[in-house]
Amino acid sequence: MTQQSRQQQPTQQQPIALVVGASRGIGRATAIEMAAHGYRVVGWYRSDAAADAEVARQIADDGGWYQGRRTDITDQQQVREGLSDLRRTDGSLQAVIVSAGITRDGLAGTMSLEAFTGVLQTNLVGSFLVARGALRAMRKHGGSIVLMSSTSGIRGQAGQTNYAASKGGVIAMTQALAKEAAPLGIRVNSLAPGFVDTDMFRAMDPRTRASVTDHIPLGRVGRPAEIARAARFLAGPDSSYITGQTLVIDGGMTS
Amino acid sequence: MPSQPQLDAATRRFELNTSLRSLLLSGLDLPDDPEHVDFDEPLFGRGLELDSLDTLEIVSILEEEFGVLVSDEDRTIFGSINKLADVIEAEQQ
């Protein structure tokens, strides 16, 4: 199912950015950021069509081009179909930004296997499936892939063995993919946000949420727009000599 | 004397092989004259001398042009144009 919003007709000169997880949080901010900087944005969302429609409206109000598509990135057939649809979109796919991610926090000793593998399936396997498709889609003309890690993938937190494993895996996968993709002119990098003001953060335990800023030198949590600007930097030509890297955006927390 | 269905199948196979050859040569930017590329010529090593990076192009062509999904785990399918055509025909039946 697709929803489309456009204020201007797409031209072949405009690059396309695929933003996975575009309906909420960092993905939403990234879709808006990319559209504001001249990309035609194709946004994938898992289930919240209403939220996607709101993203479409905001981008249209700002004069940008956006097309939403319901796609479950843990389903490789849906990923293939989504990329097949992308090939029929006017323009050239230049950037793929994967912002989808889930948490199912719990102590390792009592965590179900399904809670562990489910998080890996979305955060790591889903990222792989999208990246694999992106390599094929951009193999002729190059481009940039930006994956989403987390500071939890650098310094795991208690209660997040599944999330930490998935986000640590994204960092290592970024390095491996970057080496493979370089001969194709495709750069691969990842972002590692710390605490960011999103639904995921607001769903945390209130006591934990209240205390996080004690450990952040800048004294506040990040804003989705700040992560989005970093995503646009890694996705675009200003980072042309950067690949295989993970950019930490955490207000100094892990420094 | 072959039957009409056999002749039709042979014609379809020839057209498939010819299409595959054209797609591979253009997709891989190879200068070879299509007429000089045999359908049984090895794609890797001696023959067209493709490398591992070219595997991505072959896999992509099979998916995008023929809707056939393969990975690089079965190396034998990349042996020649005929071997690729075998995979495509098997998937399309």
Side-chain angles (χ1 to χ4, degrees), chain B residues 28-77:
Chain B
L28 296 166
D29 295 323
L30 296 174
D32 304 65
D33 180 353
E35 294 303 315
H36 296 153
V37 177
D38 190 84
F39 294 146
D40 286 316
E41 183 164 347
L43 297 179
F44 294 86
R46 290 191 175 205
L48 288 184
E49 297 182 330
L50 303 185
D51 60 30
S52 58
L53 207 57
D54 296 319
T55 308
L56 175 62
E57 182 65 29
I58 296 171
V59 169
S60 299
I61 286 172
L62 288 179
E63 180 177 352
E64 292 169 8
E65 302 292 339
F66 300 99
V68 173
L69 310 175
V70 298
S71 73
D72 63 352
E73 287 180 333
D74 184 359
R75 301 281 175 176
T76 59
I77 67 172

Side-chain angles (χ1 to χ4, degrees), chain A residues 63-84:
Chain A
W65 192 99
Y66 179 82
Q67 179 173 294
R69 189 185 195 283
R70 185 172 184 155
T71 306
D72 179 356
I73 63 169
T74 65
D75 183 325
Q76 64 177 335
Q77 185 59 28
Q78 289 192 38
V79 172
R80 286 192 167 113
E81 287 168 1
L83 288 164
S84 179

Side-chain angles (χ1 to χ4, degrees), chain A:
Chain A
M1 288 187 280
T2 63
Q3 297 187 48
Q4 191 166 34
S5 162
R6 61 184 94 184
Q7 283 267 344
Q8 57 196 39
Q9 287 301 311
T11 69
Q12 284 197 327
Q13 286 69 42
Q14 280 185 290
I16 296 171
L18 168 63
V19 178
V20 179
S23 65
R24 301 187 311 166
I26 293 170
R28 178 181 180 279
T30 301
I32 292 168
E33 175 76 7
M34 298 299 283
H37 286 82
Y39 290 84
R40 267 175 289 144
V41 177
V42 173
W44 288 0
Y45 65 94
R46 187 172 58 182
S47 59
D48 197 340
D52 183 73
E54 197 278 330
V55 174
R57 269 193 298 276
Q58 174 149 357
I59 290 177
D61 288 347
D62 295 340
W65 192 99
Y66 179 82
Q67 179 173 294
R69 189 185 195 283
R70 185 172 184 155
T71 306
D72 179 356
I73 63 169
T74 65
D75 183 325
Q76 64 177 335
Q77 185 59 28
Q78 289 192 38
V79 172
R80 286 192 167 113
E81 287 168 1
L83 288 164
S84 179
D85 283 353
L86 251 183
R87 285 196 292 275
R88 290 188 282 274
T89 303
D90 283 341
S92 173
L93 181 64
Q94 292 294 324
V96 174
I97 303 165
V98 184
S99 184
I102 63 171
T103 57
R104 284 179 68 175
D105 293 353
L107 297 178
T110 54
M111 182 178 287
S112 69
L113 179 60
E114 197 277 328
F116 187 83
T117 59
V119 169
L120 260 71
Q121 190 69 17
T122 296
N123 297 0
L124 184 58
V125 176
S127 295
F128 164 74
L129 291 177
V130 175
R132 181 179 69 176
L135 289 180
R136 296 177 186 182
M138 298 193 289
R139 71 190 188 277
K140 288 296 192 187
H141 52 72
S144 179
I145 299 171
V146 182
L147 303 178
M148 197 64 61
S149 179
S150 164
T151 49
S152 294
I154 298 170
R155 296 205 185 136
Q157 303 297 317
Q160 289 196 323
T161 48
N162 47 4
Y163 189 72
S166 71
K167 293 302 186 178
V170 166
I171 292 173
M173 185 168 71
T174 295
Q175 296 165 354
L177 276 171
K179 293 183 175 74
E180 279 189 34
L184 299 170
I186 299 171
R187 296 182 295 108
V188 186
N189 294 287
S190 64
L191 291 168
F195 292 104
V196 181
D197 187 21
T198 62
D199 291 343
M200 189 181 282
F201 175 70
R202 292 182 212 113
M204 286 175 60
D205 170 73
R207 278 193 308 178
T208 306
R209 206 167 62 233
S211 69
V212 295
T213 53
D214 294 345
H215 307 285
I216 301 174
L218 286 182
R220 62 174 177 86
V221 299
R223 304 179 191 109
E226 292 173 315
I227 314 306
R229 285 194 287 273
R232 178 176 59 81
F233 166 71
L234 288 177
D238 287 345
S239 58
S240 56
Y241 198 54
I242 302 175
T243 195
Q245 303 304 314
T246 295
L247 177 59
V248 179
I249 315 174
D250 67 354
M253 187 173 66
T254 54
S255 63

